[in-house]
Each structure stands twice: as structure tokens, then as C-alpha cells.
Amino acid sequence: MPDTAANALTTTASEALLERARAVIPGGVNSPVRAFRAVGGAPRFVRSAQGPWLFDADGNRYVDLLCSWGPMILGHARADVLEAVEKAAAQGFSFGTPSENEVLLAEEIVARVEPVEQVRLVSSGTEATMSAIRLARGFTGRSVIVKFAGCYHGHVDALLAAAGSGVATFALPDSAGVPAEMTAETIVLPYNDLAAVEEVFAARGSEIAAVITEAAPGNMGVVPPAPGFTEGLRRITAAHGALLVSDEVMTGFRCSKAGWYGLEGPYAAGAPDLFTFGKVMGGGFPAAAFGGRADVMARLAPEGPVYQAGTLSGNPVATAAGLATLRGCTDDLYPRLQSTASAIADAASAALSSEGVAHTVQWAGSMFSIFFREDAVTNYDQARDQDTAAFGRFFHSMLDQGVHLPPSAFEAWFVSGSHDEEALQVIADALPAAARAAAAAS
Ligand SMILES: *Cc1c(COP(=O)(O)O)cnc(C)c1O
């Protein structure tokens, strides 16, 4: 791939930082998928970001199609969000008492997602799903949780089974350090398989506290629910007195103003009981939430017996960033995200087709991913059956040409409202060589 090699960037500053990082941080990274293990090579240390651009420690510029794994839906350091953050920070960093921003953010979420009557704010998506599971168990007095293979719900012990992306990337069946007892009450079923759900409820329905699902999975690549799947989960769980937890940490406020629920709901069989949110609602800061039916949420301490807490929960700076970001997620943003994403996906698909690279593009709102295989993907086994080496070559060619994709074939690509003509042109210019790299024998 001489055209790619000729464009290779200088990355000595990133490499030096990685070497120092490795001495003091395991693998040199604070979240495993950042380490590029799935695609080889060394991650770029980013020094700053603005709009659709990342700037690394060597001064290279990249179009950002990672968007911090979803949160940066308005683009980096947008002026109005920055102003809200600066204003909040100037008034103090953390109070350990209630404050108005928490109320405003909770009101914004409740106003957007119709079935959500109350929310509790936390600091990460992992905390949100962990707490939602505890609440579902406390509410039902049952302990079994059903999840789907390829769905990731954060690194909650009980949910760290067949958990997609980071775990998929490393081909780890499970994580060490999770005792068997922690997942003994977790049942993992194939995604989009209602018959399997019916079967397990027929056998153990009275023991099942909840089914948790990604509203539209993005952590095995984008695999939307088949028509009727979410509805079926609602019908089956309701019939057996189990809760349905819709994990919208990735899709929330990204797929539409009301997340995936806004695209697919309302459901004739009823809404999910609980939702989890994160990513976009923090605007790049640590803010996340779980919420839903008021009678379920009333079981939380201090009103009820289910304990849940956080020193930094509802942090005034994080909630200011989240609120400004959600307020920026206006009606006109979503069609713009969609047309930007379509332009990128169409161009990528055309480039791959012209080099004869097998691929399929899948969507959930403006979230999409490209599987390096011919056929559509409806579950995790199919997602894993793709040419990840071809993706790796494609990824590195794009990176060398100034486009930062998610560093794994099992991730969604994210766009922002700030991706403009210039950013799209850089992507378009990079695609032909990247497609040739993908097509080249490994
Ligand atoms: C990212 C993600 C999580 C975990 O959120 P963190 O903030 O990384 O802990 C949970 N569920 C889904 C669907 C996610 O995409």
C-alpha cells in the first residue's frame, strides 16, 4: 500500500507518552479498547479537540468519528457548552448537597423520554446499569437477570458475560476476577431471539427480576432490534412480573431527542420499566442516570430500602455540561446528524465496493457501523464472523490520512453536529486508499 505508507504521520510524541504511560498505568490506558489491541499499532495521545477535529501530541489533525464513544454529539468544546461549564466551575466544583443543576437536568430527561417519571443521577453508565439491576431485584424480590450476548452494560460483575466490544475485541469469554457466583444468576441469550426468551421464562419466569437489553445494540457493532423484538420483550416480561430495563447509555439522546425509544416507541405492550442513560447526557463529563416508573424508583433510598449513593452524583459542573448539551440537541440536529452519517457511510460503502471488499452497513438512527462481511448481522455470533484483519488495515489507512475511526470492528461510528464539509472532504479523500488497504492480502 505505497500510497498509504507515503502518508504515514509522525507519531513520536504519542509513542513517547505511551511508553511513559505504560510504566504507571496498566497497558498505558485507562480503558482497554483505547489501547488499539484490536487493530494493532499505538494509540494517539490527544492534546486538544475542537468541533469535529482531534489534535494529537505530534500536532496531527484527525476528523473524529469516535466522538468520545458518543458523548460529543455537538462537537468538541462548543462555545455554549464551554460557557456553561466555565460558569458552573466558577461557582464551585462539588457541594455534597442538592443543587439546582441536578433538578434542571432531571427535568430535561423526564421531559424528553415519556415513560421516565423520575431519574437518579450517577457518574457513569456502569453505575447506572448496576443500580438499575439492584433496583429491579429489590423491587421484584427476585434475583435472576436475563441479558443478551453482545450487549455491553458497563463492567458490572453480573453483566460481564458475553459483553461485546472491549470484551469481544479481546476474545475473552469472561473477565477474571468475577467469581462464578456473581454471574450464576445471569442468563445470557442470543440477541433478537424471542423464542429463546419465551423458553427461559416458561422454565424460570418466577425467578427472573429483569431483562436488560441495549435499546439498539451498538457494542457489537450496530445491530438494531428486529421488528417486534422490543415489543416482545415487554410482553413476555410483563406477563411474568419481571421488569424490562432498556439500556440507552449509548442511544439515549443520540438516536433521537428521546433516544431509541423516540424512534421505536411507544409500544402497544407498554414501555420499558427502567431506562439507563450516560454518554450524551454528560456532554463529555461524568454524568449518567437511571430512571423510569415512579413506583419502582420510590424503592430507592432514602424513600425505599434499595441503597444507592454517590459522592459526586449530580456534580454541578457535569450537570451543567449535560444540560447545555441536551439543550443543544434540538429538533434540527437529528436530521443533520443523519445526513452527515449517511454521506460518510455511503462514501465508505462505495469505496469498499469498488475494491470488492465484502461489507454491510447497519443503522440505529444516525449511529452506524460497517461489518466486514457480506450478510446482515442480527446477533453476536454473526457480528464476530467478519474480517477483522481487513477492518484493521482500513482503520490504519484512515488514521494515517487523518481520520480517527473507532479502533475496533465491533463499535459504532459516531458523528456530531459540527462535522462540516471540510471534515467530510478529508474522509472522502482518505477512503479510496483505505479501501485498497482493506482489499490487500494480509
Ligand atoms: C458505554 C456503555 C455503558 C457503560 O458506560 P460507562 O460510562 O462507560 O460506564 C453501558 N451501557 C451501554 C449500552 C454503553 O454503551
Side-chain angles (χ1 to χ4, degrees):
M1 299 150 277
D3 42 1
T4 304
N7 287 338
L9 304 172
T10 300
T11 57
T12 47
S14 275
E15 282 154 27
L17 279 169
L18 182 62
E19 196 169 312
R20 280 171 55 197
R22 279 198 174 121
V24 288
I25 301 170
V29 295
N30 285 307
S31 197
V33 77
R34 294 180 196 167
F36 276 24
R37 294 282 161 89
V39 290
R44 304 300 147 85
F45 278 67
V46 169
R47 179 179 287 160
S48 68
Q50 185 65 53
W53 306 104
L54 299 174
F55 300 90
D56 74 10
D58 292 277
N60 300 306
R61 185 183 78 158
Y62 306 88
V63 181
D64 183 12
L65 291 179
L66 187 54
C67 290
S68 187
W69 305 87
M72 307 318 300
I73 193 166
L74 303 180
H76 293 281
R78 204 172 86 156
D80 55 343
V81 181
L82 180 60
E83 193 186 324
V85 167
E86 287 176 341
K87 189 165 157 251
Q91 291 173 332
F93 306 156
S94 183
F95 308 136
T97 70
S99 63
E100 187 182 16
N101 282 352
E102 301 167 64
V103 186
L104 295 173
L105 183 55
E107 285 173 347
E108 180 74 30
I109 293 168
V110 167
R112 279 169 179 260
V113 190
E114 193 274 325
V116 175
E117 297 174 312
Q118 293 203 323
V119 292
R120 168 73 45 94
L121 300 180
V122 294
S123 302
S124 72
T126 295
E127 253 188 284
T129 58
M130 179 184 77
S131 304
I133 292 301
R134 183 182 305 145
L135 178 58
R137 285 170 162 165
F139 181 81
T140 57
R142 303 172 178 180
S143 52
V144 174
I145 300 294
V146 174
K147 79 173 289 284
F148 297 101
C151 285
Y152 177 67
H153 303 291
H155 59 99
V156 177
D157 280 346
L159 301 176
L160 214 47
S165 60
V167 187
T169 287
F170 300 122
L172 297 177
D174 258 319
S175 170
V178 178
E181 306 87 74
M182 303 298 292
T183 51
E185 310 234 66
T186 305
I187 297 173
V188 182
L189 298 179
Y191 191 67
N192 271 328
D193 186 347
L194 269 188
V197 180
E198 295 271 19
E199 207 171 294
V200 91
F201 269 89
R204 301 185 64 183
S206 65
E207 301 166 63
I208 297 171
V211 171
I212 185 168
T213 184
E214 282 190 61
N219 284 293
M220 50 176 143
V222 174
V223 180
F229 181 68
T230 313
E231 183 96 44
L233 295 180
R234 175 67 292 182
R235 182 175 44 76
I236 296 165
T237 48
H240 291 269
L243 300 189
L244 177 60
V245 182
S246 181
D247 183 351
E248 293 235 28
V249 170
M250 183 181 284
T251 52
F253 319 110
R254 175 165 281 279
C255 290
S256 80
K257 263 182 106 162
W260 181 256
Y261 182 83
L263 291 184
E264 201 188 34
Y267 306 102
D273 304 286
L274 293 175
F275 292 75
T276 54
F277 304 108
K279 297 195 168 98
V280 166
M281 67 155 283
F285 283 75
F290 63 103
R293 277 168 51 188
D295 64 318
V296 179
M297 295 301 285
R299 299 296 177 92
L300 278 179
E303 304 223 306
V306 178
Y307 191 71
Q308 190 281 329
T311 301
L312 298 178
S313 292
N315 174 270
V317 184
T319 49
L323 186 63
T325 298
L326 287 187
R327 284 180 175 164
C329 291
T330 48
D331 286 326
D332 61 311
L333 173 70
Y334 293 95
R336 210 162 72 239
L337 293 176
Q338 192 68 57
S339 68
T340 301
S342 295
I344 294 168
D346 289 352
S349 185
L352 290 168
S353 292
S354 77
E355 296 298 331
V357 178
H359 68 283
T360 183
V361 184
Q362 297 197 179
W363 293 90
S366 67
M367 262 166 54
F368 68 99
S369 60
I370 299 180
F371 292 93
F372 281 68
R373 58 179 262 144
E374 202 71 59
D375 302 324
V377 172
T378 64
N379 62 35
Y380 189 36
D381 281 344
Q382 292 169 0
R384 280 188 293 188
D385 181 18
Q386 62 171 317
D387 189 347
T388 54
F391 174 81
R393 297 190 296 274
F394 181 77
F395 169 88
H396 274 292
S397 175
M398 293 297 279
L399 191 68
D400 284 343
Q401 298 177 85
V403 181
H404 203 308
L405 300 177
S408 159
F410 298 98
E411 301 290 353
W413 300 23
F414 297 101
V415 300
S416 79
S418 73
H419 282 73
D420 55 9
E421 285 305 318
E422 188 186 0
L424 292 184
Q425 193 59 52
V426 171
I427 296 168
D429 291 345
L431 282 167
R436 279 196 295 282
S442 42

